[in-house]
Amino acid sequence: MAPVTNGRVLFNEYLPTGYPIPGKTVVYDTSETIDLENVALNGGFLVKVLVLSIDPYQRNRLKAPSDQRSYGSFELGKPIQNFGVGVVLRSENSAVKAGDHVYGQYDFQQYVIVPELPSRIWRVLENKEQIPWSAYVGVAGMPGQTAYYGWKEYASPQKGEVAFVTTGAGPVGATVIQLAKADGLKVIASAGSDDKVEYMKSIGADVAFNYKTTKTSDVLAKEGPIHVFWDNVGGESFEAAIEHAATGARLLECGMITVYNTNETYTVKNLFQIIGKELHVHGVMVAGPLHEKYVDEFYETIPEKIARGELKYKEHVLHGLDKAGQGLLDVQTGKNFGKCVIVVAEE
Amino acid sequence: MAPVTNGRVLFNEYLPTGYPIPGKTVVYDTSETIDLENVALNGGFLVKVLVLSIDPYQRNRLKAPSDQRSYGSFELGKPIQNFGVGVVLRSENSAVKAGDHVYGQYDFQQYVIVPELPSRIWRVLENKEQIPWSAYVGVAGMPGQTAYYGWKEYASPQKGEVAFVTTGAGPVGATVIQLAKADGLKVIASAGSDDKVEYMKSIGADVAFNYKTTKTSDVLAKEGPIHVFWDNVGGESFEAAIEHAATGARLLECGMITVYNTNETYTVKNLFQIIGKELHVHGVMVAGPLHEKYVDEFYETIPEKIARGELKYKEHVLHGLDKAGQGLLDVQTGKNFGKCVIVVAEE
């Protein structure tokens, strides 16, 4: 078989502030080819990438190393990276065989040679529940893990308490809404459009509102105080949550999308209340010790719940790796409705 | 015996911002008398107040109820309140007898009739260790409890880790320094004068500096990253701690003196790092569940450590209840060097 094109999404320039521009911040490149039958694997395995995930946190990796705090910059001229699922075409690694479906952090390419299973993040997916592969980068992947690990470790939910979830129509927030409902909490959830509000109600939110037309602090004043806060927004939203937190409330900081594209300029004017209300603020990251602690439990329970229809999810699907730049932009502006997934190839 | 003067410190006017002004914010009043032998106790007990504590958090109680977040305003025209130790002159309460020394939250008066032991905060002090009564409002009282409870509950200290303690010459900070050293941590501590720096070194701080002449972030960049932060300052100090926190660090928010006298105007520009570094921020209050959990352990261990000289403390003593207004000002401006104590009477 002749070599085939191996399309790639390359990181083209650092973006200190502002939204990513498709074709400028990242570019789709078709200059490389790959000989699928003969390319040397050197003990690794060759994957045909099926789906790739676009997530808000990737915005931080578009910044220069000098502006980085935590995630590490993408390398200029090289493919950007994120979680995905692919099917193994050939393997020289005993842990993986042709036909296996592997979840991991892939370069944004149509075909990837993986030297080895690099970390506990990577996983050969059995999928005996037969849910769609795309679910494994969403509710059954990193965003679902983020929600599950953070909720299990820090929420300390008590039946009858009140939770407030921001970006409740996104894959993390929507999962948190459902976990909170399952634990018997009253759930307040916000998102940025009326159809997202309807969706949040459909998955169980007791109170759902559009933060663009309704003031968060007004809703919390009426429906709070809140005992658990799941924050994907930061800034004014964090301030409103502190203002309407009950004594001893748990504030789970998972994302601050309001500060990803600008510098952090909002003055949170009530940090002092962290003391008086004895609040607990926790930064939630999916990698690290929480992953070690919860990953097996996660894969044992979540795909099954999805298969049974007990855990719902919604996707914003873009077809073709060349749409990755658009996806990066969509999740920063909130244009996506549900988990943003790039379908790179059918099996 | 004829009635005697019962001097009182009355709350005279609300103070939204700025430093308390002795004689204006609070006034010392000698218009009342009390007949110690005959005054009706109605089932309560009569206390001659020996020592009263002045603490930074009292600044918040000088604000109007509409500006309150947590502590509750003092009542205009009535005595201000805080922790103290007094000796019982007469009692109709079976839990307390004449001659007992009682720790509790007293009105700022020379003599107080207490209807009953109002809460678990109050305590008849055995003092078999024979430490000075004033210690029971400092290192063996609320400030010491604050340090002890917060440290035990949230610090999760690991030998070899690094702690950073602000206002390390104050009663809370100085206790935290000694607890951290006892747990095998390297301790960085800051205060606002060179003699306080020397004192912090004398009680075990490995690195001590004057934040007025040395930049906190410079010290932390050199001596950090930090694993435990004890904050009595807020604002820029909180920001510096976040900036130089290790992954998984615990930030114990105990006070924010920089925002007590002004509104909260400082923009903490790196709250986002709470996520990436998986930080844990806890508000520490001495009352509430932590008190229930640790109070007996505290009184069983701390006075003994003080008596043995294993736990050191320093006092800023003012003689006479009429000096309370000055004390309030001193602890806000940092003029005090050590725990501010008003000696109201000798036994």
Side-chain angles (χ1 to χ4, degrees):
Chain A
M1 205 166 92
V4 295
T5 298
N6 191 6
R8 302 178 301 159
V9 180
L10 303 178
F11 185 30
N12 194 49
E13 59 182 38
Y14 292 132
L15 187 69
T17 59
Y19 290 120
I21 303 169
K24 187 164 184 295
T25 311
V26 298
V27 293
Y28 185 64
D29 173 89
T30 56
S31 64
E32 286 208 345
T33 59
I34 185 168
D35 181 341
L36 298 175
E37 281 165 3
N38 300 306
V39 63
L41 302 183
N42 300 316
F45 56 94
L46 173 64
V47 173
K48 177 185 177 185
V49 176
L50 301 179
V51 290
L52 286 168
S53 179
I54 300 283
D55 294 296
Y57 87 93
Q58 288 178 290
R59 173 63 185 85
N60 301 291
R61 303 198 65 187
L62 301 173
K63 294 179 181 175
S66 57
D67 294 332
Q68 279 301 326
R69 301 302 183 184
S70 45
Y71 296 104
S73 303
F74 291 128
E75 206 174 332
L76 283 176
K78 295 284 175 68
I80 65 168
Q81 297 160 339
N82 202 15
F83 300 96
V85 175
V87 59
V88 177
L89 300 182
R90 291 164 48 213
S91 176
E92 295 175 354
N93 181 314
S94 61
V96 176
K97 63 180 189 302
D100 278 353
H101 289 77
V102 177
Y103 172 74
Q105 192 147 29
Y106 287 102
D107 282 349
F108 271 43
Q109 300 187 169
Q110 290 178 285
Y111 301 95
V112 180
I113 296 166
V114 184
E116 57 186 334
L117 287 183
S119 74
R120 287 262 291 165
I121 293 285
W122 290 72
R123 196 171 186 103
V124 176
L125 301 169
E126 289 186 53
N127 198 15
K128 53 186 188 297
E129 302 84 1
Q130 296 194 295
I131 61 174
W133 295 116
S134 61
Y136 281 101
V137 300
V139 61
M142 185 277 284
Q145 289 167 354
T146 304
Y148 187 87
Y149 301 173
W151 188 260
K152 288 281 171 185
E153 183 76 6
Y154 301 122
S156 304
Q158 303 294 319
K159 205 172 169 175
E161 286 189 332
V162 179
F164 172 44
V165 183
T166 57
T167 66
V172 178
T175 306
V176 173
I177 289 173
Q178 295 174 81
L179 292 172
K181 284 307 297 177
D183 280 340
L185 279 72
K186 167 179 160 180
V187 177
I188 307 169
S190 67
S193 72
D194 292 344
D195 52 357
K196 289 179 182 175
V197 169
E198 287 312 307
Y199 175 66
M200 294 189 295
K201 287 180 182 166
S202 78
I203 58 172
D206 300 283
V207 178
F209 67 98
N210 180 343
Y211 71 86
K212 290 179 180 168
T213 55
T214 305
K215 228 176 143 209
T216 297
S217 55
D218 290 347
V219 176
L220 298 185
K222 182 164 174 267
E223 304 287 348
I226 61 173
H227 303 89
V228 186
F229 174 48
W230 189 283
D231 192 11
N232 285 310
V233 173
E236 204 168 345
S237 169
F238 184 42
E239 181 179 82
I242 292 175
E243 195 69 30
H244 298 284
T247 297
R250 288 75 68 195
L251 282 59
L252 283 64
E253 294 299 318
C254 174
M256 295 194 179
I257 197 157
T258 56
V259 305
Y260 289 174
N261 299 287
T262 59
N263 289 320
E264 197 159 353
T265 53
Y266 189 81
T267 305
V268 177
K269 289 174 289 294
N270 55 7
L271 290 171
F272 175 56
Q273 292 186 46
I274 290 173
I275 303 170
K277 291 181 172 177
E278 297 176 85
L279 302 183
H280 308 280
V281 184
H282 298 281
V284 178
M285 290 279 280
V286 72
L290 295 188
H291 189 73
E292 290 301 317
K293 185 168 173 183
Y294 292 111
V295 62
D296 292 332
E297 177 184 319
F298 177 83
Y299 281 113
E300 279 158 22
T301 56
I302 294 297
E304 202 172 285
K305 279 182 197 288
I306 296 166
R308 284 201 303 264
E310 287 171 29
L311 188 57
K312 295 181 176 60
Y313 67 100
K314 194 170 174 64
E315 290 176 343
H316 174 80
V317 180
L318 299 175
H319 290 274
L321 186 53
D322 57 317
K323 303 298 190 308
Q326 186 61 47
L328 285 173
L329 178 59
D330 287 355
V331 301
Q332 295 301 322
T333 58
K335 200 193 147 192
N336 64 313
F337 182 4
K339 173 78 195 83
C340 185
V341 175
I342 309 291
V343 173
V344 181
E346 302 296 331
E347 210 155 342
Chain B
M1 204 165 94
V4 295
T5 298
N6 191 5
R8 303 178 301 159
V9 180
L10 304 178
F11 185 30
N12 194 50
E13 60 181 39
Y14 292 132
L15 186 69
T17 59
Y19 290 122
I21 303 169
K24 189 163 184 292
T25 310
V26 298
V27 294
Y28 185 63
D29 173 89
T30 56
S31 65
E32 287 207 345
T33 59
I34 185 167
D35 181 341
L36 298 175
E37 281 167 1
N38 299 305
V39 63
L41 302 183
N42 299 314
F45 56 94
L46 173 64
V47 173
K48 178 186 176 184
V49 176
L50 301 179
V51 290
L52 287 168
S53 178
I54 301 284
D55 294 297
Y57 85 94
Q58 287 177 290
R59 174 63 186 85
N60 301 291
R61 303 197 66 186
L62 302 173
K63 294 180 182 176
S66 56
D67 294 332
Q68 279 300 325
R69 301 302 182 187
S70 48
Y71 296 103
S73 302
F74 291 128
E75 206 172 331
L76 283 176
K78 296 283 175 67
I80 65 168
Q81 298 160 339
N82 203 14
F83 300 95
V85 175
V87 60
V88 176
L89 299 182
R90 291 163 49 213
S91 177
E92 295 176 354
N93 181 313
S94 62
V96 176
K97 63 181 188 302
D100 278 353
H101 289 77
V102 178
Y103 172 74
Q105 192 147 30
Y106 288 102
D107 283 350
F108 271 44
Q109 301 187 167
Q110 290 178 283
Y111 300 96
V112 180
I113 297 166
V114 184
E116 57 186 334
L117 286 183
S119 73
R120 288 261 289 165
I121 293 285
W122 290 71
R123 195 171 187 102
V124 176
L125 301 170
E126 289 185 54
N127 197 18
K128 54 185 186 301
E129 301 84 3
Q130 296 193 293
I131 61 175
W133 295 116
S134 61
Y136 281 100
V137 300
V139 61
M142 186 277 284
Q145 288 167 355
T146 302
Y148 187 87
Y149 301 174
W151 187 261
K152 289 281 171 184
E153 183 75 7
Y154 301 122
S156 304
Q158 303 295 318
K159 206 173 167 172
E161 286 189 332
V162 179
F164 172 45
V165 183
T166 58
T167 67
V172 178
T175 307
V176 172
I177 288 172
Q178 295 173 81
L179 292 172
K181 283 308 296 176
D183 281 340
L185 279 73
K186 166 179 162 180
V187 177
I188 307 168
S190 68
S193 72
D194 291 344
D195 51 357
K196 290 179 183 177
V197 168
E198 286 312 307
Y199 175 65
M200 296 188 296
K201 286 181 184 167
S202 79
I203 58 171
D206 300 283
V207 179
F209 66 98
N210 180 344
Y211 71 86
K212 290 178 181 168
T213 54
T214 306
K215 231 177 140 206
T216 298
S217 55
D218 290 346
V219 176
L220 299 186
K222 181 165 173 265
E223 303 288 347
I226 61 173
H227 303 89
V228 186
F229 174 48
W230 189 285
D231 192 12
N232 285 309
V233 173
E236 204 167 345
S237 169
F238 183 42
E239 182 178 82
I242 292 175
E243 195 69 29
H244 299 285
T247 297
R250 290 76 68 195
L251 282 58
L252 283 65
E253 292 299 317
C254 175
M256 294 193 180
I257 199 157
T258 56
V259 304
Y260 290 174
N261 299 288
T262 59
N263 289 320
E264 197 158 353
T265 52
Y266 189 82
T267 305
V268 177
K269 290 173 288 294
N270 55 7
L271 290 171
F272 174 56
Q273 292 186 45
I274 291 173
I275 303 170
K277 291 181 173 177
E278 298 177 83
L279 303 182
H280 306 282
V281 185
H282 298 282
V284 177
M285 289 280 280
V286 72
L290 295 189
H291 189 72
E292 290 301 318
K293 186 169 174 184
Y294 292 110
V295 63
D296 292 331
E297 177 183 319
F298 177 84
Y299 281 112
E300 280 157 22
T301 56
I302 293 298
E304 204 173 285
K305 278 181 196 291
I306 296 166
R308 284 203 301 264
E310 287 172 28
L311 189 56
K312 297 182 175 61
Y313 67 101
K314 194 171 173 64
E315 290 177 345
H316 173 80
V317 180
L318 300 175
H319 290 274
L321 187 52
D322 57 316
K323 304 298 189 309
Q326 186 62 47
L328 285 173
L329 177 59
D330 286 354
V331 301
Q332 295 302 320
T333 58
K335 200 193 146 192
N336 64 311
F337 182 4
K339 173 78 195 82
C340 184
V341 175
I342 309 292
V343 173
V344 180
E346 302 297 330
E347 210 157 342

